Amino acid sequence: MAANKPNKLAFLSMPAPASYVAGLGRGASGFTTRSDIGPAREGPSADVVAEAQARRGEEAEVDPEQFQDPDNEYGLFAGTTYEADDEEADQIYEQVDQNMDARRRARREARENAELAKHRAERPKIQQQFADLKRGLSVVTDEEWENIPEVGNLTRKKRKRDERSFVVPDSVLVGDRSKGEYENALDSRQQTAGGFETPAENGTLTNFVEMGQARDKILSLKLDQVSGTSTSSGLSTSVDPKGYLTSLDSVILKTDAEIGDIKRARMLFDSLVKSNPKHSPGWIAAACLEEHAGRMVAARKIIKAGCEQCPKSEDVWLEAARLHNNDDAKVILANAVQHVGQSVKIWLAAADLEHDIKAKKRVLRKSLEHIPNSVRLWKETVNLESSAVDARILLSRAVEVIPLSVELWLALARLETPDKAKAVLNKARKAVPTSHEIWIAAGRLLEQESHTPGKTEEQRDKELEVVDKTIEAGVKELRRHQVLLTREQWLKEAEKCEGDGSLRTCEAIIKATVAMDVEEEDRLETWLGDAEAAELRGNVGTARSILAYALKVFPDRRSLWRRAADLERTHGTRESLNAILERAVHHCPQAEVLWLMWAKEKWLAEDVPAAREVLEKAFVANPESEQIWLAAVKLEAENGELGVARELLVRARTVADTQRIWMKSAVFERQQGQTSTALETLDAALKKYPKFPKLYMIQGQIYQSQGNFPAARASFSTGIKAVPKDVTLWILASRLEEADGKSIRARALLDKARLANPASDVLWAEAVGVEERSGGTAQAKTVLARGLQECTTSGLLWSMAIWAEPRPTRKSRSADALRKAADDPLIISTVARLFWAERKIEKARQWFERAVKINQDLGDVWGWWLKFERQHGTSEYQDEVIRRCVAAEPHHGAVWQSVAKDMKNTGKSTKENLELVAAALH
């Protein structure tokens, strides 16, 4: 049974089928390893491959790229023989290459050398950096070489050694001692290593008790010396214990780090003075270091060595004198004079050490023997003289020794009498012909002579003309000697003369030099700029002289005369202003503004007859001038001459016959209560000037004040049809409807007005006001937002938007407004009010100041500022605001115009209107 049973593993001895792949049935793929194919072998050579291809009749494969490279001679001529003609050709080509290279060699080598030199300059080698120092070593002697200290590594931090303590053996404490001494010795057994004294050779031991007693005794003696006690004299102590302890607090205790720095610096300076003993700053630095460390003895020793090593250095001697007391310093400076006798600093320091005037004089006169050409020493010597005669003698000698010193010549001229001073300045001018200071001093001397008492006006004028001639001659003489000062330098000299009180000399300099280096077409602009700059610097006399010269060149320029008049109004007197205006109207008789300014000044001076006289002259020069007629009417009306004013208006309507004169006539009658006459005047004026909107405004306001709303509505409606672009007419018409209780009609009018006048912020502001007054706060905000979209830079609307916000968001809203319109006075005034609400007083004042500087014609801003100062400012601040507002004479502003044009406030001054506006603002 067993023999016939088949063997299940017989397949293992059978060969595998031809297509068998191990593991393919279970999804595994076959792979080959290096062990299956054996080690890598080199393929057949190219010859073998070619021979096999030839046997099979195949052609050799040709690389198509082998003929693309022209330098690939192997591919081109691989099968040819290198013959003699090939060698000759190669030699020829090589010779051609060498010739071509030689042609560019010089330029190439020069370029390469320049690039190399530039590279070496930017990045030199270490050897080149120290080449000069190596050459300097050739002069070092053997002795100096031996004195060079060894280089130490100062960067390594030395570890502090632990201070170990040792116990003193009991064998030290032997001998005949009492029990108390033995116990005291036991207490002092613990001593620091190195701090214990060894017994003497004879076997005696240190008595610590006596040492302690001696130490206490020395300390008490020192305290006695400090306190000033004396047992022999019996004086009591003068030491204040509290003061003594306080003085101990002032003692500077140096930390370990500072002590380490001082030690390190000491080593460095020591190395410096040893390696270069002739370097004086090293000795000074080393001495200062010891002084800082509190070692004065060492500092004096070092500086003494420095004086020995550097006897020609004045700084070392001066430092040595500073480190010693007064007596020793005198000796040191006496030695210094032996070595550096030409040092001015040494002599001056020696003079400063003397407290007696005679001793100072002696030292300084001795110094002049050694250094006679020192201007500073002469000046110090002269300053010590109390007598003018002695000073004059010294200066006379000084200018003989130093004839080129302008300072000494001028000092001598100041000490001489006027006649002798002229002679001195003439000598100085000859000695120093290139000095402009001498010519200016001569002009000032002549000006001073003209002011001596007892001279007539004619004599003074002649002498002052000599000042102009002297300065003019000086400028020409300096040019002849090639001394060319610029306009700016001459202007500075003129301002300096003004500061010294020599106004005529200042004017003479301006006359002689202000036209230098200025193009003819730029003269007026340049001179106005110079005058403005001088005024800003506070040099009013210089500005006045520049304008006076400009007026001589341009006598017919009205703007120049107004600028001169403004200068006199601000800085001059009333007499000087009247003189300028009188000259102005003489040269510019057709300038109405100048006539009005002159008449106004006379009126402000309460000289009404003189003002009338000025206006009469103005009528002669300008018979049809509207402004002069109105000024005359205002003058008479303000002074109560109402009949004369009415006659002038009648004559003005006949002679000048302008729309403004007709309007003023109606306003005058209305102010006097003659409404019927005013309406008649307006009817006549409207026939002549139907396009003048103010006539319709006055007519409508008169009817509205009488309660005649239909007539007023008709006047405004007619005016709007005639002048639809006038915004004020639309606003008055809407306010009339609002006063009549017809807010809807007022809104409709404003909508029509905005269509006729787009981008008008005043109309948008009025529309917002209508909504607020009718109770529609939400609608007012909507209208305001629409207005800001159309008028993005309107300060009026932005101001309203800021106040429409709740208090926490007003500041951010004001920031947005400033970004849109940073220079709008209404926005700036609103920001000032925000600071006012936050009680930031100084900031609010600064922003109000900024607002009025931008636009002085806004009366509302002045009113807010005065209201602020009434609440938080002093009387000085309030008076200053009122004064500046009166000078500015504002005419615009919503509240200001409503107050100023109210019939109840007719004839009130600017100050009174300001008070009313400040009270009306909320």
Side-chain angles (χ1 to χ4, degrees):
M1 290 287 297
N4 295 329
K5 189 176 182 180
N7 189 4
K8 295 180 178 180
L9 301 177
F11 70 91
L12 294 176
S13 59
M14 298 179 183
S19 60
Y20 174 75
V21 177
L24 187 61
R26 63 178 184 271
S29 59
F31 56 91
T32 304
T33 62
R34 183 173 293 279
S35 61
D36 296 328
I37 63 176
R41 297 182 299 274
E42 185 179 1
S45 62
D47 296 338
V48 175
V49 172
E51 184 179 353
Q53 288 178 345
R55 283 198 306 271
R56 292 194 297 269
E58 298 176 358
E59 295 182 0
E61 294 182 1
V62 179
D63 184 11
E65 298 294 332
Q66 65 179 345
F67 300 109
Q68 300 300 322
D69 188 4
D71 295 332
N72 188 4
E73 295 184 357
Y74 176 78
L76 292 173
F77 309 105
T80 60
T81 305
Y82 189 74
E83 297 178 350
D85 55 347
D86 296 330
E87 183 179 1
E88 183 180 0
D90 288 342
Q91 291 177 356
I92 291 172
Y93 277 115
E94 185 177 357
Q95 187 65 33
V96 170
D97 292 338
Q98 289 178 359
N99 291 338
M100 294 294 292
D101 183 66
R103 290 174 60 185
R104 300 182 179 88
R105 183 181 303 162
R107 281 185 289 175
R108 185 180 68 254
E109 290 180 352
R111 186 180 70 255
E112 291 176 352
N113 291 335
E115 292 176 354
L116 181 62
K118 182 179 179 181
H119 179 73
R120 292 301 186 199
E122 293 176 353
R123 299 180 179 178
K125 296 181 178 179
I126 299 297
Q127 182 179 3
Q128 294 175 349
Q129 294 180 15
F130 291 94
D132 54 342
L133 299 177
K134 287 184 178 181
R135 287 193 298 269
L137 293 176
S138 60
V139 298
V140 178
T141 62
D142 295 338
E143 182 180 356
E144 291 176 341
W145 186 266
E146 292 296 333
N147 289 333
I148 296 176
E150 296 294 333
V151 179
N153 188 2
L154 299 178
T155 61
R156 259 175 52 190
K157 295 183 178 179
K158 295 182 179 180
R159 188 181 65 182
K160 288 187 176 181
R161 292 184 178 179
D162 297 333
E163 295 184 353
R164 294 179 294 171
S165 48
F166 302 92
V167 178
V168 181
D170 293 340
S171 60
V172 177
L173 304 171
V174 296
D176 296 335
R177 287 191 176 185
S178 63
K179 183 178 180 181
E181 291 175 353
Y182 185 76
E183 290 174 353
N184 291 334
L186 286 177
D187 292 337
S188 60
R189 288 170 65 186
Q190 189 87 7
Q191 297 292 337
T192 304
F196 195 87
E197 294 190 14
T198 58
E201 295 296 333
N202 55 5
T204 60
L205 301 178
T206 305
N207 191 338
F208 296 101
V209 178
E210 293 179 357
M211 288 178 60
Q213 293 174 352
R215 182 189 61 189
D216 294 341
K217 187 173 182 180
I218 292 172
L219 179 59
S220 65
L221 289 174
K222 288 184 177 180
L223 290 175
D224 290 341
Q225 292 174 358
V226 173
S227 62
T229 57
S230 175
T231 55
S232 61
S233 61
L235 297 175
S236 60
T237 179
S238 60
V239 172
D240 181 11
K242 295 182 180 179
Y244 182 73
L245 293 175
T246 306
S247 65
L248 288 178
D249 293 337
S250 63
V251 177
I252 300 175
L253 300 177
K254 295 181 175 59
T255 62
D256 293 341
E258 292 178 347
I259 293 173
D261 293 341
I262 290 173
K263 289 182 179 179
R264 193 176 295 110
R266 186 179 290 122
M267 293 176 61
L268 290 174
F269 287 137
D270 185 55
S271 173
L272 175 63
V273 298
K274 285 182 179 179
S275 60
N276 192 359
K278 301 300 181 182
H279 186 61
S280 58
W283 293 101
I284 295 173
C288 290
L289 175 67
E290 299 299 339
E291 181 189 11
H292 177 70
R295 302 175 58 188
M296 290 301 298
V297 176
R300 290 168 181 165
K301 184 177 180 181
I302 289 173
I303 203 65
K304 180 181 179 183
C307 293
E308 294 173 356
Q309 293 290 337
C310 308
K312 298 298 182 181
S313 173
E314 63 179 11
D315 294 332
V316 175
W317 289 105
L318 292 173
E319 185 66 19
R322 188 184 68 83
L323 292 175
H324 289 76
N325 56 34
N326 197 51
D327 295 333
D328 294 340
K330 291 179 182 179
V331 177
I332 291 170
L333 292 180
N335 293 330
V337 169
Q338 304 299 324
H339 296 87
V340 280
Q342 298 298 313
S343 173
V344 177
K345 291 182 179 179
I346 295 290
W347 285 105
L348 290 176
D352 290 338
L353 293 176
E354 302 291 345
H355 301 297
D356 185 23
I357 298 297
K358 292 182 178 179
K360 281 181 180 288
K361 291 181 180 179
R362 186 168 58 251
V363 172
L364 289 174
R365 293 189 179 185
K366 189 71 175 177
S367 68
L368 290 173
E369 294 178 4
H370 289 78
I371 319 173
N373 58 348
S374 172
V375 177
R376 188 176 178 186
L377 288 176
W378 280 107
K379 287 173 60 179
E380 293 291 336
T381 307
V382 171
N383 288 336
L384 290 178
E385 297 295 337
S386 58
S387 172
V389 177
D390 296 337
R392 194 181 302 123
I393 294 172
L394 283 173
L395 285 172
S396 301
R397 176 59 182 163
V399 295
E400 291 177 4
V401 177
I402 316 174
L404 297 180
S405 175
V406 177
E407 199 171 358
L408 294 177
W409 281 109
L410 295 179
L412 179 59
R414 282 193 293 267
L415 292 176
E416 293 286 358
T417 59
D419 294 335
K420 292 184 178 180
K422 289 181 182 178
V424 169
L425 290 176
N426 285 328
K427 290 181 182 178
R429 180 172 53 81
K430 294 177 182 178
V432 193
T434 59
S435 172
H436 64 279
E437 293 95 340
I438 295 175
W439 287 99
I440 294 174
R444 294 182 60 187
L445 178 63
L446 293 172
E447 182 179 359
Q448 291 174 4
E449 284 187 355
S450 66
H451 294 308
T452 53
K455 293 186 177 180
T456 62
E457 290 294 329
E458 185 178 356
Q459 291 176 338
R460 289 178 181 175
D461 292 340
K462 289 182 179 179
E463 291 181 356
L464 291 176
E465 289 177 1
V466 176
V467 175
D468 297 339
K469 294 178 181 178
T470 301
I471 297 298
E472 185 178 358
V475 173
K476 292 180 181 179
E477 191 70 16
L478 290 172
R479 287 181 181 174
R480 192 171 67 83
H481 287 87
Q482 303 299 319
V483 180
L484 303 177
L485 272 71
T486 61
R487 282 183 68 257
E488 289 73 18
Q489 291 174 321
W490 281 114
L491 289 177
K492 287 182 179 179
E493 292 295 334
E495 292 177 358
K496 192 184 298 182
C497 289
E498 180 187 354
D500 295 336
S502 302
L503 294 177
R504 188 52 187 259
T505 307
C506 167
E507 184 180 352
I509 294 174
I510 295 298
K511 288 180 181 178
T513 62
V514 75
M516 291 170 51
D517 305 328
V518 181
E519 296 293 337
E520 186 173 354
E521 60 272 12
D522 299 333
R523 289 182 297 176
L524 180 60
E525 184 178 355
T526 303
W527 291 339
L528 284 174
D530 293 338
E532 184 177 357
E535 183 183 2
L536 290 176
R537 289 192 294 269
N539 299 305
V540 180
T542 304
R544 187 180 288 119
S545 301
I546 295 172
L547 291 176
Y549 185 85
L551 287 171
K552 287 183 179 179
V553 180
F554 303 103
D556 56 343
R557 294 298 180 95
R558 303 180 183 183
S559 59
L560 197 57
W561 285 107
R562 289 194 63 180
R563 182 70 186 85
D566 292 338
L567 180 69
E568 295 301 332
R569 181 187 292 111
T570 307
H571 302 285
T573 61
R574 183 159 286 167
E575 291 75 13
S576 63
L577 176 58
N578 285 328
I580 282 288
L581 291 173
E582 186 175 1
R583 291 175 54 205
V585 297
H586 174 72
H587 289 89
C588 304
Q590 306 302 321
E592 301 171 359
V593 178
L594 297 176
W595 285 106
L596 295 176
M597 289 176 65
W598 192 15
K600 184 177 180 180
E601 290 302 322
K602 294 292 186 182
W603 178 37
L604 292 176
E606 298 181 356
D607 191 356
V608 178
R612 290 194 182 103
E613 184 180 354
V614 170
L615 290 175
E616 289 174 3
K617 294 179 180 178
F619 280 130
V620 174
N622 304 275
E624 297 182 359
S625 172
E626 171 190 286
Q627 293 184 353
I628 295 176
W629 279 105
L630 294 178
V633 171
K634 184 178 179 180
L635 176 65
E636 300 299 340
E638 291 289 339
N639 289 278
E641 301 290 340
L642 301 179
V644 178
R646 187 174 284 109
E647 288 183 14
L648 285 173
L649 285 170
V650 172
R651 290 173 56 193
R653 292 199 297 270
T654 305
V655 177
D657 194 18
T658 63
Q659 57 187 13
R660 193 158 179 264
I661 289 178
W662 281 96
M663 181 199 70
K664 289 292 183 180
S665 300
V667 171
F668 176 78
E669 298 297 341
R670 182 187 177 192
Q671 289 174 349
Q672 305 307 319
Q674 304 294 329
T675 55
S676 58
T677 307
L679 289 173
E680 292 175 1
T681 305
L682 288 169
D683 291 336
L686 286 172
K687 292 178 182 179
K688 288 177 171 288
Y689 306 103
K691 297 291 185 181
F692 190 45
K694 289 189 177 182
L695 298 176
Y696 297 103
M697 296 178 198
I698 299 170
Q699 188 181 46
Q701 287 174 340
I702 292 175
Y703 284 132
Q704 185 177 356
S705 64
Q706 293 175 347
N708 191 353
F709 283 81
R713 187 177 293 112
S715 296
F716 290 142
S717 178
T718 307
I720 288 172
K721 290 178 182 178
V723 195
K725 294 296 182 181
D726 190 84
V727 175
T728 309
L729 267 175
W730 288 99
I731 293 175
L732 290 175
S734 69
R735 288 180 181 176
L736 175 67
E737 300 298 340
E738 195 176 1
D740 200 17
K742 301 176 181 178
S743 300
I744 297 176
R745 196 165 182 179
R747 292 193 192 97
L749 277 173
L750 291 174
D751 289 340
K752 289 182 181 179
R754 291 199 298 273
L755 291 175
N757 301 277
S760 174
D761 58 343
V762 181
L763 289 175
W764 283 106
E766 186 64 24
V768 174
V770 169
E771 299 298 338
E772 288 178 347
R773 287 189 290 270
S774 62
T777 307
Q779 184 64 20
K781 288 187 176 180
T782 303
V783 174
L784 181 58
R786 290 172 55 200
L788 282 174
Q789 289 178 354
E790 189 171 339
C791 308
T792 56
T793 59
S794 170
L796 177 60
L797 295 180
W798 275 111
S799 178
M800 297 175 70
I802 292 171
W803 293 114
E805 293 290 329
R807 185 181 294 271
T809 59
R810 287 176 182 172
K811 187 175 292 186
S812 60
R813 195 66 168 163
S814 65
D816 297 338
L818 288 172
R819 279 193 290 270
K820 292 290 184 179
D823 293 331
D824 193 285
L826 291 175
I827 295 178
I828 294 174
S829 174
T830 303
V831 174
R833 291 164 59 191
L834 289 177
F835 284 127
W836 177 9
E838 295 176 358
R839 295 297 187 269
K840 296 180 179 179
I841 307 304
E842 287 302 322
K843 279 193 174 182
R845 184 175 289 120
Q846 292 173 3
W847 281 77
F848 277 126
E849 174 81 23
R850 183 178 166 188
V852 298
K853 280 185 178 179
I854 293 175
N855 189 355
Q856 295 186 355
D857 197 44
L858 283 177
D860 290 3
V861 177
W862 289 106
W864 280 117
W865 194 4
L866 181 61
K867 193 177 186 69
F868 164 77
E869 296 296 350
R870 293 281 189 218
Q871 184 174 348
H872 297 287
T874 61
S875 58
E876 290 79 7
Y877 282 118
Q878 297 166 15
D879 294 342
E880 179 66 16
V881 172
I882 294 172
R883 184 190 64 80
R884 293 176 60 181
C885 179
V886 170
E889 293 185 358
H891 294 89
H892 293 88
V895 180
W896 182 274
Q897 286 182 325
S898 65
V899 170
K901 293 184 178 181
D902 192 345
M903 292 295 105
K904 296 182 295 184
N905 301 325
T906 302
K908 290 188 176 179
S909 63
T910 303
K911 179 180 178 181
E912 293 171 334
N913 286 333
L914 177 61
E915 296 286 355
L916 293 173
V917 169
L921 290 170
H922 297 288

